[in-house]
mmCIF file of all heavy atoms in Angstrom:
data_model
loop_
_atom_site.group_PDB
_atom_site.id
_atom_site.type_symbol
_atom_site.label_atom_id
_atom_site.label_comp_id
_atom_site.label_asym_id
_atom_site.label_seq_id
_atom_site.Cartn_x
_atom_site.Cartn_y
_atom_site.Cartn_z
ATOM 1 N N SER A 82 35.768 19.191 -32.645
ATOM 2 C CA SER A 82 34.786 19.720 -31.694
ATOM 3 C C SER A 82 34.837 18.969 -30.375
ATOM 4 O O SER A 82 34.775 19.567 -29.301
ATOM 5 C CB SER A 82 33.377 19.624 -32.275
ATOM 6 O OG SER A 82 33.233 20.532 -33.323
ATOM 7 N N LEU A 85 37.912 20.039 -28.426
ATOM 8 C CA LEU A 85 37.757 21.368 -27.831
ATOM 9 C C LEU A 85 36.820 21.315 -26.626
ATOM 10 O O LEU A 85 37.108 21.898 -25.583
ATOM 11 C CB LEU A 85 37.204 22.352 -28.867
ATOM 12 C CG LEU A 85 38.239 22.964 -29.805
ATOM 13 C CD1 LEU A 85 37.548 23.745 -30.909
ATOM 14 C CD2 LEU A 85 39.190 23.864 -29.049
ATOM 15 N N ALA A 86 35.698 20.594 -26.777
ATOM 16 C CA ALA A 86 34.735 20.524 -25.684
ATOM 17 C C ALA A 86 35.351 19.816 -24.484
ATOM 18 O O ALA A 86 35.159 20.223 -23.332
ATOM 19 C CB ALA A 86 33.472 19.794 -26.137
ATOM 20 N N PHE A 87 36.130 18.765 -24.761
ATOM 21 C CA PHE A 87 36.778 18.028 -23.670
ATOM 22 C C PHE A 87 37.775 18.929 -22.943
ATOM 23 O O PHE A 87 37.782 19.012 -21.716
ATOM 24 C CB PHE A 87 37.472 16.789 -24.241
ATOM 25 C CG PHE A 87 38.093 15.932 -23.192
ATOM 26 C CD1 PHE A 87 37.305 15.096 -22.416
ATOM 27 C CD2 PHE A 87 39.461 15.963 -22.971
ATOM 28 C CE1 PHE A 87 37.876 14.309 -21.425
ATOM 29 C CE2 PHE A 87 40.038 15.174 -21.973
ATOM 30 C CZ PHE A 87 39.249 14.347 -21.205
ATOM 31 N N ALA A 89 37.805 22.141 -22.830
ATOM 32 C CA ALA A 89 37.106 23.204 -22.109
ATOM 33 C C ALA A 89 36.517 22.660 -20.809
ATOM 34 O O ALA A 89 36.528 23.341 -19.776
ATOM 35 C CB ALA A 89 36.002 23.792 -22.979
ATOM 36 N N THR A 90 36.016 21.415 -20.846
ATOM 37 C CA THR A 90 35.453 20.820 -19.636
ATOM 38 C C THR A 90 36.528 20.667 -18.567
ATOM 39 O O THR A 90 36.334 21.020 -17.399
ATOM 40 C CB THR A 90 34.837 19.440 -19.956
ATOM 41 O OG1 THR A 90 33.979 19.584 -21.082
ATOM 42 C CG2 THR A 90 34.054 18.907 -18.789
ATOM 43 N N LEU A 171 35.514 29.222 -24.601
ATOM 44 C CA LEU A 171 34.591 28.176 -24.147
ATOM 45 C C LEU A 171 34.609 28.061 -22.628
ATOM 46 O O LEU A 171 33.561 27.935 -21.991
ATOM 47 C CB LEU A 171 34.951 26.829 -24.778
ATOM 48 C CG LEU A 171 34.524 26.615 -26.233
ATOM 49 C CD1 LEU A 171 35.031 25.276 -26.743
ATOM 50 C CD2 LEU A 171 33.010 26.688 -26.379
ATOM 51 N N ALA A 174 32.682 30.933 -21.298
ATOM 52 C CA ALA A 174 31.247 30.860 -21.528
ATOM 53 C C ALA A 174 30.572 29.841 -20.620
ATOM 54 O O ALA A 174 29.401 29.988 -20.282
ATOM 55 C CB ALA A 174 30.969 30.531 -22.991
ATOM 56 N N TYR A 175 31.298 28.770 -20.247
ATOM 57 C CA TYR A 175 30.641 27.688 -19.509
ATOM 58 C C TYR A 175 31.074 27.565 -18.059
ATOM 59 O O TYR A 175 30.636 26.658 -17.369
ATOM 60 C CB TYR A 175 30.838 26.361 -20.257
ATOM 61 C CG TYR A 175 30.123 26.359 -21.580
ATOM 62 C CD1 TYR A 175 30.825 26.389 -22.772
ATOM 63 C CD2 TYR A 175 28.737 26.390 -21.632
ATOM 64 C CE1 TYR A 175 30.161 26.430 -23.994
ATOM 65 C CE2 TYR A 175 28.069 26.422 -22.837
ATOM 66 C CZ TYR A 175 28.780 26.439 -24.006
ATOM 67 O OH TYR A 175 28.131 26.479 -25.203
ATOM 68 N N PHE A 178 28.385 27.037 -15.496
ATOM 69 C CA PHE A 178 27.733 25.730 -15.586
ATOM 70 C C PHE A 178 28.521 24.686 -14.806
ATOM 71 O O PHE A 178 28.000 23.634 -14.466
ATOM 72 C CB PHE A 178 27.596 25.288 -17.047
ATOM 73 C CG PHE A 178 26.731 26.216 -17.858
ATOM 74 C CD1 PHE A 178 27.001 26.444 -19.198
ATOM 75 C CD2 PHE A 178 25.660 26.864 -17.289
ATOM 76 C CE1 PHE A 178 26.210 27.306 -19.945
ATOM 77 C CE2 PHE A 178 24.871 27.723 -18.017
ATOM 78 C CZ PHE A 178 25.147 27.942 -19.341
ATOM 79 N N MET A 179 29.803 24.950 -14.568
ATOM 80 C CA MET A 179 30.611 24.066 -13.743
ATOM 81 C C MET A 179 30.507 24.473 -12.279
ATOM 82 O O MET A 179 30.297 23.648 -11.398
ATOM 83 C CB MET A 179 32.074 24.131 -14.221
ATOM 84 C CG MET A 179 33.009 23.214 -13.487
ATOM 85 S SD MET A 179 32.595 21.481 -13.697
ATOM 86 C CE MET A 179 33.369 21.124 -15.268
ATOM 87 N N ALA A 223 27.683 16.498 -12.717
ATOM 88 C CA ALA A 223 26.691 17.429 -13.258
ATOM 89 C C ALA A 223 27.378 18.564 -14.001
ATOM 90 O O ALA A 223 27.000 18.917 -15.123
ATOM 91 C CB ALA A 223 25.827 17.983 -12.126
ATOM 92 N N GLY A 224 28.426 19.117 -13.391
ATOM 93 C CA GLY A 224 29.133 20.227 -14.023
ATOM 94 C C GLY A 224 29.757 19.818 -15.349
ATOM 95 O O GLY A 224 29.649 20.539 -16.346
ATOM 96 N N CYS A 225 30.393 18.641 -15.357
ATOM 97 C CA CYS A 225 31.047 18.194 -16.591
ATOM 98 C C CYS A 225 30.022 17.987 -17.704
ATOM 99 O O CYS A 225 30.265 18.344 -18.853
ATOM 100 C CB CYS A 225 31.842 16.917 -16.344
ATOM 101 S SG CYS A 225 33.323 17.216 -15.367
ATOM 102 N N VAL A 226 28.877 17.406 -17.346
ATOM 103 C CA VAL A 226 27.833 17.197 -18.354
ATOM 104 C C VAL A 226 27.353 18.544 -18.901
ATOM 105 O O VAL A 226 27.212 18.729 -20.110
ATOM 106 C CB VAL A 226 26.650 16.410 -17.743
ATOM 107 C CG1 VAL A 226 25.445 16.446 -18.669
ATOM 108 C CG2 VAL A 226 27.070 14.978 -17.481
ATOM 109 N N LEU A 227 27.145 19.506 -17.999
ATOM 110 C CA LEU A 227 26.608 20.810 -18.427
ATOM 111 C C LEU A 227 27.631 21.630 -19.213
ATOM 112 O O LEU A 227 27.261 22.561 -19.917
ATOM 113 C CB LEU A 227 26.128 21.615 -17.219
ATOM 114 C CG LEU A 227 24.830 21.157 -16.579
ATOM 115 C CD1 LEU A 227 24.403 22.109 -15.493
ATOM 116 C CD2 LEU A 227 23.718 21.027 -17.618
ATOM 117 N N VAL A 228 28.907 21.324 -19.088
ATOM 118 C CA VAL A 228 29.898 22.040 -19.888
ATOM 119 C C VAL A 228 30.183 21.286 -21.184
ATOM 120 O O VAL A 228 30.199 21.865 -22.266
ATOM 121 C CB VAL A 228 31.212 22.249 -19.106
ATOM 122 C CG1 VAL A 228 32.268 22.890 -19.996
ATOM 123 C CG2 VAL A 228 30.957 23.124 -17.897
ATOM 124 N N PHE A 229 30.391 19.967 -21.053
ATOM 125 C CA PHE A 229 30.827 19.205 -22.223
ATOM 126 C C PHE A 229 29.785 19.202 -23.341
ATOM 127 O O PHE A 229 30.094 19.511 -24.484
ATOM 128 C CB PHE A 229 31.148 17.762 -21.812
ATOM 129 C CG PHE A 229 31.646 16.923 -22.949
ATOM 130 C CD1 PHE A 229 32.919 17.120 -23.460
ATOM 131 C CD2 PHE A 229 30.839 15.953 -23.531
ATOM 132 C CE1 PHE A 229 33.390 16.356 -24.511
ATOM 133 C CE2 PHE A 229 31.299 15.191 -24.588
ATOM 134 C CZ PHE A 229 32.576 15.393 -25.074
ATOM 135 N N ILE A 230 28.543 18.886 -22.996
ATOM 136 C CA ILE A 230 27.548 18.725 -24.055
ATOM 137 C C ILE A 230 27.217 20.043 -24.742
ATOM 138 O O ILE A 230 27.278 20.131 -25.972
ATOM 139 C CB ILE A 230 26.286 18.005 -23.537
ATOM 140 C CG1 ILE A 230 26.712 16.661 -22.940
ATOM 141 C CG2 ILE A 230 25.295 17.790 -24.648
ATOM 142 C CD1 ILE A 230 25.599 15.883 -22.346
ATOM 143 N N PRO A 231 26.887 21.097 -24.001
ATOM 144 C CA PRO A 231 26.649 22.360 -24.723
ATOM 145 C C PRO A 231 27.903 22.832 -25.451
ATOM 146 O O PRO A 231 27.814 23.402 -26.538
ATOM 147 C CB PRO A 231 26.253 23.343 -23.623
ATOM 148 C CG PRO A 231 25.774 22.503 -22.505
ATOM 149 C CD PRO A 231 26.591 21.253 -22.566
ATOM 150 N N GLY A 232 29.084 22.559 -24.877
ATOM 151 C CA GLY A 232 30.332 22.972 -25.524
ATOM 152 C C GLY A 232 30.509 22.292 -26.868
ATOM 153 O O GLY A 232 31.046 22.859 -27.819
ATOM 154 N N LEU A 233 30.026 21.052 -26.955
ATOM 155 C CA LEU A 233 30.117 20.297 -28.194
ATOM 156 C C LEU A 233 29.311 20.966 -29.312
ATOM 157 O O LEU A 233 29.706 20.938 -30.473
ATOM 158 C CB LEU A 233 29.539 18.904 -27.914
ATOM 159 C CG LEU A 233 30.059 17.697 -28.646
ATOM 160 C CD1 LEU A 233 31.557 17.664 -28.638
ATOM 161 C CD2 LEU A 233 29.506 16.442 -27.987
ATOM 162 N N GLY A 234 28.176 21.536 -28.957
ATOM 163 C CA GLY A 234 27.326 22.134 -29.988
ATOM 164 C C GLY A 234 27.580 23.619 -30.185
ATOM 165 O O GLY A 234 27.014 24.231 -31.074
ATOM 166 N N ALA A 235 28.450 24.191 -29.343
ATOM 167 C CA ALA A 235 28.655 25.650 -29.400
ATOM 168 C C ALA A 235 29.318 26.038 -30.700
ATOM 169 O O ALA A 235 30.164 25.311 -31.203
ATOM 170 C CB ALA A 235 29.527 26.092 -28.238
ATOM 171 N N TYR A 236 28.934 27.168 -31.259
ATOM 172 C CA TYR A 236 29.729 27.636 -32.379
ATOM 173 C C TYR A 236 29.855 29.144 -32.484
ATOM 174 O O TYR A 236 30.751 29.633 -33.155
ATOM 175 C CB TYR A 236 29.265 27.044 -33.702
ATOM 176 C CG TYR A 236 27.880 27.398 -34.146
ATOM 177 C CD1 TYR A 236 27.667 28.524 -34.918
ATOM 178 C CD2 TYR A 236 26.804 26.586 -33.838
ATOM 179 C CE1 TYR A 236 26.400 28.835 -35.357
ATOM 180 C CE2 TYR A 236 25.539 26.900 -34.272
ATOM 181 C CZ TYR A 236 25.340 28.014 -35.030
ATOM 182 O OH TYR A 236 24.086 28.327 -35.460
ATOM 183 N N ILE A 237 29.000 29.897 -31.798
ATOM 184 C CA ILE A 237 29.113 31.351 -31.930
ATOM 185 C C ILE A 237 30.441 31.834 -31.334
ATOM 186 O O ILE A 237 31.217 32.521 -32.001
ATOM 187 C CB ILE A 237 27.908 32.049 -31.268
ATOM 188 C CG1 ILE A 237 26.645 31.678 -32.045
ATOM 189 C CG2 ILE A 237 28.104 33.561 -31.263
ATOM 190 C CD1 ILE A 237 25.382 32.295 -31.528
ATOM 191 N N THR A 238 30.718 31.426 -30.099
ATOM 192 C CA THR A 238 31.978 31.818 -29.483
ATOM 193 C C THR A 238 33.187 31.253 -30.237
ATOM 194 O O THR A 238 34.100 32.007 -30.576
ATOM 195 C CB THR A 238 32.024 31.336 -28.013
ATOM 196 O OG1 THR A 238 30.797 31.664 -27.404
ATOM 197 C CG2 THR A 238 33.152 31.984 -27.267
ATOM 198 N N PRO A 239 33.198 29.934 -30.536
ATOM 199 C CA PRO A 239 34.359 29.418 -31.256
ATOM 200 C C PRO A 239 34.597 30.132 -32.591
ATOM 201 O O PRO A 239 35.739 30.396 -32.945
ATOM 202 C CB PRO A 239 34.000 27.951 -31.498
ATOM 203 C CG PRO A 239 33.040 27.611 -30.453
ATOM 204 C CD PRO A 239 32.280 28.856 -30.148
ATOM 205 N N MET A 249 32.758 23.951 -36.792
ATOM 206 C CA MET A 249 32.481 23.172 -35.588
ATOM 207 C C MET A 249 31.247 22.315 -35.907
ATOM 208 O O MET A 249 30.511 22.608 -36.839
ATOM 209 C CB MET A 249 32.137 24.097 -34.418
ATOM 210 C CG MET A 249 33.174 25.138 -34.123
ATOM 211 S SD MET A 249 34.653 24.452 -33.363
ATOM 212 C CE MET A 249 34.026 23.969 -31.762
ATOM 213 N N ILE A 250 31.030 21.271 -35.086
ATOM 214 C CA ILE A 250 29.861 20.416 -35.353
ATOM 215 C C ILE A 250 28.585 21.258 -35.433
ATOM 216 O O ILE A 250 27.793 21.127 -36.359
ATOM 217 C CB ILE A 250 29.614 19.397 -34.229
ATOM 218 C CG1 ILE A 250 30.815 18.512 -34.017
ATOM 219 C CG2 ILE A 250 28.393 18.550 -34.549
ATOM 220 C CD1 ILE A 250 30.590 17.497 -32.920
ATOM 221 N N GLY A 251 28.396 22.109 -34.448
ATOM 222 C CA GLY A 251 27.155 22.880 -34.349
ATOM 223 C C GLY A 251 26.921 23.691 -35.610
ATOM 224 O O GLY A 251 25.820 23.733 -36.155
ATOM 225 N N LEU A 274 25.607 12.666 -33.450
ATOM 226 C CA LEU A 274 26.199 13.388 -32.317
ATOM 227 C C LEU A 274 25.532 12.970 -31.011
ATOM 228 O O LEU A 274 26.188 12.708 -30.007
ATOM 229 C CB LEU A 274 26.032 14.898 -32.538
ATOM 230 C CG LEU A 274 26.512 15.790 -31.409
ATOM 231 C CD1 LEU A 274 28.015 15.682 -31.252
ATOM 232 C CD2 LEU A 274 26.129 17.236 -31.658
ATOM 233 N N VAL A 278 27.100 11.211 -27.600
ATOM 234 C CA VAL A 278 26.981 11.781 -26.269
ATOM 235 C C VAL A 278 26.371 10.762 -25.309
ATOM 236 O O VAL A 278 26.851 10.566 -24.195
ATOM 237 C CB VAL A 278 26.121 13.063 -26.317
ATOM 238 C CG1 VAL A 278 25.752 13.500 -24.915
ATOM 239 C CG2 VAL A 278 26.870 14.164 -27.031
ATOM 240 N N ASN B 129 17.079 15.002 -19.396
ATOM 241 C CA ASN B 129 18.287 15.614 -19.955
ATOM 242 C C ASN B 129 18.293 15.688 -21.469
ATOM 243 O O ASN B 129 19.254 16.166 -22.065
ATOM 244 C CB ASN B 129 19.523 14.869 -19.475
ATOM 245 C CG ASN B 129 19.802 15.181 -18.032
ATOM 246 O OD1 ASN B 129 19.666 16.324 -17.609
ATOM 247 N ND2 ASN B 129 20.150 14.177 -17.259
ATOM 248 N N PRO B 131 16.953 17.629 -23.770
ATOM 249 C CA PRO B 131 17.214 18.876 -24.498
ATOM 250 C C PRO B 131 18.694 19.228 -24.581
ATOM 251 O O PRO B 131 19.101 19.987 -25.456
ATOM 252 C CB PRO B 131 16.468 19.936 -23.671
ATOM 253 C CG PRO B 131 15.411 19.181 -22.961
ATOM 254 C CD PRO B 131 16.005 17.843 -22.669
ATOM 255 N N LEU B 132 19.495 18.657 -23.661
ATOM 256 C CA LEU B 132 20.927 18.955 -23.686
ATOM 257 C C LEU B 132 21.637 18.307 -24.852
ATOM 258 O O LEU B 132 22.588 18.864 -25.394
ATOM 259 C CB LEU B 132 21.575 18.402 -22.416
ATOM 260 C CG LEU B 132 21.716 19.268 -21.195
ATOM 261 C CD1 LEU B 132 22.472 18.486 -20.147
ATOM 262 C CD2 LEU B 132 22.474 20.531 -21.535
ATOM 263 N N VAL B 133 21.203 17.084 -25.199
ATOM 264 C CA VAL B 133 22.056 16.265 -26.041
ATOM 265 C C VAL B 133 21.827 16.443 -27.533
ATOM 266 O O VAL B 133 22.538 15.830 -28.324
ATOM 267 C CB VAL B 133 21.940 14.759 -25.699
ATOM 268 C CG1 VAL B 133 22.428 14.510 -24.293
ATOM 269 C CG2 VAL B 133 20.536 14.271 -25.878
ATOM 270 N N ILE B 134 20.902 17.265 -27.921
ATOM 271 C CA ILE B 134 20.703 17.431 -29.353
ATOM 272 C C ILE B 134 20.984 18.888 -29.706
ATOM 273 O O ILE B 134 20.579 19.777 -28.981
ATOM 274 C CB ILE B 134 19.299 16.957 -29.767
ATOM 275 C CG1 ILE B 134 19.229 16.660 -31.262
ATOM 276 C CG2 ILE B 134 18.221 17.906 -29.389
ATOM 277 C CD1 ILE B 134 18.917 15.235 -31.540
ATOM 278 N N PRO B 135 21.743 19.125 -30.790
ATOM 279 C CA PRO B 135 22.082 20.510 -31.103
ATOM 280 C C PRO B 135 20.833 21.359 -31.277
ATOM 281 O O PRO B 135 19.831 20.907 -31.834
ATOM 282 C CB PRO B 135 22.847 20.401 -32.420
ATOM 283 C CG PRO B 135 23.359 19.026 -32.457
ATOM 284 C CD PRO B 135 22.360 18.186 -31.719
ATOM 285 N N GLU B 136 20.949 22.586 -30.793
ATOM 286 C CA GLU B 136 19.804 23.483 -30.747
ATOM 287 C C GLU B 136 19.087 23.649 -32.079
ATOM 288 O O GLU B 136 17.868 23.665 -32.134
ATOM 289 C CB GLU B 136 20.287 24.858 -30.297
ATOM 290 C CG GLU B 136 19.867 25.223 -28.919
ATOM 291 C CD GLU B 136 20.080 26.699 -28.721
ATOM 292 O OE1 GLU B 136 21.239 27.133 -28.729
ATOM 293 O OE2 GLU B 136 19.101 27.413 -28.599
ATOM 294 N N PHE B 169 14.141 23.664 -22.596
ATOM 295 C CA PHE B 169 15.600 23.531 -22.615
ATOM 296 C C PHE B 169 16.268 24.055 -21.359
ATOM 297 O O PHE B 169 17.443 23.813 -21.127
ATOM 298 C CB PHE B 169 16.226 24.096 -23.899
ATOM 299 C CG PHE B 169 16.172 25.596 -24.068
ATOM 300 C CD1 PHE B 169 16.945 26.428 -23.284
ATOM 301 C CD2 PHE B 169 15.370 26.159 -25.053
ATOM 302 C CE1 PHE B 169 16.910 27.791 -23.455
ATOM 303 C CE2 PHE B 169 15.319 27.519 -25.229
ATOM 304 C CZ PHE B 169 16.088 28.341 -24.421
ATOM 305 N N PRO B 172 16.998 20.813 -17.943
ATOM 306 C CA PRO B 172 18.219 20.115 -17.520
ATOM 307 C C PRO B 172 19.183 21.012 -16.740
ATOM 308 O O PRO B 172 19.866 20.532 -15.837
ATOM 309 C CB PRO B 172 18.852 19.641 -18.829
ATOM 310 C CG PRO B 172 18.026 20.141 -19.920
ATOM 311 C CD PRO B 172 16.766 20.695 -19.382
ATOM 312 N N PHE B 173 19.241 22.294 -17.097
ATOM 313 C CA PHE B 173 20.166 23.189 -16.405
ATOM 314 C C PHE B 173 19.724 23.433 -14.959
ATOM 315 O O PHE B 173 20.548 23.627 -14.079
ATOM 316 C CB PHE B 173 20.283 24.518 -17.155
ATOM 317 C CG PHE B 173 21.044 24.382 -18.437
ATOM 318 C CD1 PHE B 173 20.395 24.143 -19.637
ATOM 319 C CD2 PHE B 173 22.427 24.459 -18.438
ATOM 320 C CE1 PHE B 173 21.103 23.997 -20.811
ATOM 321 C CE2 PHE B 173 23.145 24.319 -19.604
ATOM 322 C CZ PHE B 173 22.480 24.085 -20.799
ATOM 323 N N MET B 176 20.211 19.627 -12.978
ATOM 324 C CA MET B 176 21.530 19.101 -12.608
ATOM 325 C C MET B 176 21.999 19.555 -11.216
ATOM 326 O O MET B 176 22.394 18.728 -10.409
ATOM 327 C CB MET B 176 22.559 19.483 -13.670
ATOM 328 C CG MET B 176 22.447 18.647 -14.931
ATOM 329 S SD MET B 176 22.752 16.921 -14.555
ATOM 330 C CE MET B 176 23.289 16.321 -16.117
ATOM 331 N N LEU B 222 21.138 29.332 -13.337
ATOM 332 C CA LEU B 222 21.610 28.803 -14.624
ATOM 333 C C LEU B 222 20.497 28.871 -15.660
ATOM 334 O O LEU B 222 20.709 29.300 -16.788
ATOM 335 C CB LEU B 222 22.080 27.354 -14.468
ATOM 336 C CG LEU B 222 23.450 27.137 -13.852
ATOM 337 C CD1 LEU B 222 23.818 25.664 -13.931
ATOM 338 C CD2 LEU B 222 24.500 27.965 -14.559
ATOM 339 N N VAL B 226 20.612 30.887 -19.218
ATOM 340 C CA VAL B 226 20.481 30.098 -20.446
ATOM 341 C C VAL B 226 19.335 30.630 -21.301
ATOM 342 O O VAL B 226 19.461 30.803 -22.508
ATOM 343 C CB VAL B 226 20.274 28.605 -20.113
ATOM 344 C CG1 VAL B 226 19.810 27.835 -21.324
ATOM 345 C CG2 VAL B 226 21.561 28.007 -19.591
#
Side-chain angles (χ1 to χ4, degrees):
Chain A
S82 290
L85 277 171
F87 183 77
T90 310
L171 282 176
Y175 294 110
F178 298 146
M179 183 63 83
C225 288
V226 168
L227 286 186
V228 175
F229 182 72
I230 304 177
L233 211 48
Y236 63 89
I237 295 181
T238 314
M249 305 288 291
I250 302 180
L274 176 66
V278 168
Chain B
N129 286 320
L132 268 184
V133 296
I134 200 118
E136 252 195 294
F169 69 71
F173 288 93
M176 284 298 205
L222 282 187
V226 166

